[in-house]
Amino acid sequence: GVVKQAFQHKTIARPFEKDVIDAHTCLLVDPEGMAYLQKRAISRKTIEAFKMGLKTDQYGVRWLTIPHYEKGQLLNIKSRSLPPAEKMFRRVKDCSSVLFNSDILQENPETVYLCEGELDALALLDKGEKNVVATTTGAGSFDATWVDQLGHIKKIFLCYDNDEAGQKGARE
């Protein structure tokens, strides 16, 4: 699947920064949303640094939003449904798939923690680990460009979930 992705060409869309700001403002004043993230070991300081947000769709489902930036450019926004809704994910259609927090790779670290998802990466970052990135497309996929981005790293710790999907993704 990695090779196939490398040869696909399509128009890439861009999300709107205003959507990030509006959702971020909503989250900061929402006690339930903030409590959910604090329970996941993510502090207000990290929430603010990564502009995490909250929005509610037309069906009343509340979505945690996680913007994906690379070199200061907003490239996508991933959303995760919040309980009590069934766990679901979505991203802005036709936008790039990037490694979350990939700018840290520009500093040429020798060691990197590669997490299965953004929330795990944010928890590690919040605990003081600096060299942390995450996949943004789930445990079952890995974009070909990410291989190039990680190619110079001497040691990569895979931090995937201990479920079937996470363990399969880590092996592959």
Side-chain angles (χ1 to χ4, degrees):
V2 170
V3 173
K4 184 178 178 185
Q5 288 178 353
F7 295 103
Q8 292 177 344
H9 299 286
K10 66 178 184 178
T11 304
I12 302 295
R14 285 282 181 92
F16 299 106
E17 190 73 37
K18 182 182 182 326
D19 293 338
V20 171
I21 294 166
D22 290 347
H24 182 61
T25 302
C26 288
L27 176 60
L28 293 177
V29 298
D30 187 275
E32 290 177 23
M34 293 296 286
Y36 173 80
L37 289 170
Q38 289 167 352
K39 192 161 59 167
R40 298 283 310 246
I42 301 169
S43 71
R44 183 182 182 97
K45 180 180 176 184
T46 299
I47 292 165
E48 290 175 355
F50 286 87
K51 299 181 185 175
M52 299 176 73
L54 178 71
K55 63 186 225 178
T56 304
D57 68 16
Q58 69 268 27
Y59 305 107
V61 176
R62 293 162 43 89
W63 295 85
L64 177 67
T65 63
I66 307 165
H68 297 164
Y69 288 91
E70 196 169 82
K71 297 179 183 165
Q73 299 294 311
L74 176 63
L75 298 181
N76 209 330
I77 303 170
K78 186 172 179 180
S79 300
R80 183 210 192 279
S81 60
L82 291 175
E86 178 184 338
K87 184 178 176 182
M88 298 177 285
F89 296 94
R90 62 184 182 191
R91 297 179 309 135
V92 179
K93 184 177 168 43
D94 295 329
C95 288
S96 298
S97 298
V98 299
L99 275 177
F100 179 73
N101 198 40
S102 64
D103 287 348
I104 196 67
L105 301 174
Q106 301 305 309
E107 298 176 17
N108 294 316
E110 288 190 19
T111 301
V112 166
Y113 294 87
L114 174 62
C115 296
E116 179 179 329
E118 299 91 337
L119 294 180
D120 295 332
L122 288 163
L124 271 177
L125 286 160
D126 205 22
K127 299 305 173 226
E129 289 298 338
K130 183 173 108 165
N131 301 327
V132 181
V133 296
T135 62
T136 56
T137 56
S141 65
F142 200 87
D143 194 279
T145 60
W146 302 347
V147 174
D148 294 335
Q149 286 181 281
L150 295 166
H152 68 282
I153 306 299
K154 292 182 181 178
K155 189 183 288 188
I156 300 173
F157 290 98
L158 298 179
C159 303
Y160 278 49
D161 293 348
N162 197 22
D163 58 13
E164 186 176 332
Q167 293 305 293
K168 183 179 182 213
R171 282 191 303 276
E172 289 179 2

